[in-house]
Amino acid sequence: MDQNDVQKVRVHSIESFGAADGPGVRFIVFLQGCNMRCKYCHNPDTWNMNDGEEMTSDELLKRALRYKSYWKDSGGITVSGGEPLLHIDFLIDFFRRAKEYGVHTVIDTAGNPFTRDEPFFSKFNELMNYTDLFLLDIKEMDNERHSYITGFSNDNILDMADSYIRVIFWGIITSMMYNVVSGILRGVGDSKTPLYFLLFSSALNIVLDLFCIVTLKLNVAGAAYATVISQGISAVLCLIYMYRKFTILRTRKSDYYIDRVTTAQMMGLGIPMALNYSLIAVGSMILQSAVNVFGSSAVAAFTAASKVEQISTQPMPALGTTMSTYCGQNLGAGKYDRIFDGMKKAFGIALGTVAIAAFICTVFGRSIVSLFLSEPTEAIYSYATQYLNTISCFFFFLALIYLYRTSLQGLGKGIMPMVSGIFEMICRVGVVWLLLNPYGYWSVRLASPVAWIGAGVPLMISFLVWKNRKKKQLHSQA
C-alpha cells in the first residue's frame, strides 16, 4: 500500500470522550461492517458495510486531534465496530498517521477476519507496528457454540490469540505474586508502596510493549511478554522491599509448609468472593439484554449513563477496599472497639458519598452524558436522565453493599457476601423478567436499585448481628 494514498472507510458513529475500550479518555471510532451475526449483538446496525458516513483517514484523524488536549499522557484513539479488521488497509493508514502525532492507538476486535494467508497476514503484522493495545473479544471458546452464536468458526480467532494466551498463562504466576505481596503490604498498613510499584509496572509495560512489538517484531506475543515481564519485575521489587522493610515478614525455610486449617480458611474466603463476582456479572449481562430490546438510542443512553454512574460512585468502592483492610488489621490485633468505631465513621463517610453521587447524576448527568457521545439525540438524553434520576434515589443501598460486603470479607465472613451476590442477581433478573413486558423501560430503571436493596440490607443486618454478638462475647469475658 502506497503511504501517500489516503484510505477511506464508512463510520457508524464516534464517541468523543469514551471511558472504556482502552486506557484514559478515548476517541472511539465505530466502523461499519461485520461478517458475524451474533445473536446477542448490541449494535446490529453496524453490520452493513455500506451504511454510515464515508470518511478518509486524514479527515478522521483531524477530528480526533481536536480532543488531544483531553487525552493527556494516557488517552488516545480506539477503533472498534462492527469489525475493524475488515478495514485493515484503512487501519494501517490511520494508525500510521496517528503515530506521527504520538497518539496511543487501540484496536477492539472480535478477530473474525484473521488469517495467516497472504496478503492479510503481512498487513496484520504491519498494523501491529502501529498498534499499542490489541483488545480481542472472543465470543465463545467452544467452537460449536461459537458457530451457533456468531455463524462462524472460532478456529482462526483462537489461532490469533494462541501466542498471547500461552505466554500470559505461563506467566500468570507473576501476576499472582504481585497481588499476594501487595495484599500482604496493605495488610500491615502500607498501602502506598503497592501503588508506586503498580505505576512503575504500568510505565515499564508501555516501554516493553514498544520494544517487543516494534523492535523485536513479536507482534501479539510481544504484548504478552511485555505484560508478564513488567509484572514479574514489579513483583520481585515489591518482595525485596517487603523483606527489607518489615522484619516480621522475613520468612525462613521452616515457614514453608502446608497448613490445612489455614488453607481451608483462605479457600473459604476466596471461593465465595470469586463466585460473587461471577454472579454479579451474570446479572449485569441479563440487564444489558433487556436494554437491547429498546433499540440503539436506549443502548447508547444506558452505556453513557452507566459511565456517569461509575464516575460518580467511585468513592464507594474505594471506601469499601479501605474498610476491608482496616477490619482485617484490627481483627488480627483483637481491637474490636476500633472496628466498631471505624465502621460507624465509615458509615457517615458513605452517606457523604451517596449525597455527592446523587448530586452529580441528577444535576450534571445530562452534561456528562454528552461527553461520551458525539451526536446525542433527545431520545438518548431522555433515556439516560430517566435512568440516572431513578438510580440516584437508591445510592444509599449501593453504598451499603460496598461498605459491608468488603468489611465482612475482611472479618473473615465470606459466605454472606456470596449470598448477597445471589440475592443481587435474583433481584436484577426478577425485575427484568417481571416488569419488562408490562412496564417497559421502567424494568431497566428499577433493576439495579431493587438488586442493591436485595443485597445491601442483608449485608448490613449480617454485620450488625456479628457486632452485637461480639459485644456480648467481650462483655461476658470482661
Side-chain angles (χ1 to χ4, degrees), residues 96-151:
R96 177 180 57 78
R97 293 172 186 269
K99 280 301 170 188
E100 293 174 0
Y101 292 88
V103 176
H104 184 275
T105 55
V106 175
I107 295 175
D108 183 9
T109 173
N112 172 254
F114 179 81
T115 176
R116 293 186 182 274
D117 296 336
E118 297 294 352
F120 181 92
F121 192 59
S122 294
K123 292 181 178 180
F124 180 79
N125 287 333
E126 182 182 358
L127 176 61
M128 291 300 99
N129 293 331
Y130 307 121
T131 304
D132 293 305
L133 180 61
F134 190 87
L135 301 177
L136 178 60
D137 176 17
I138 301 178
K139 305 298 183 182
E140 168 63 47
M141 294 298 295
D142 180 77
N143 188 37
E144 184 176 342
R145 282 191 53 79
H146 190 280
S147 298
Y148 169 75
I149 292 171
T150 70

Side-chain angles (χ1 to χ4, degrees), residues 433-445:
W433 184 61
L434 293 173
L435 302 184
L436 182 60
N437 288 330
Y439 296 104
Y441 193 64
W442 269 105
S443 63
V444 175
R445 296 165 63 177

Side-chain angles (χ1 to χ4, degrees), residues 27 152 167 289:
F27 182 88
F152 287 87
V167 177
S289 67

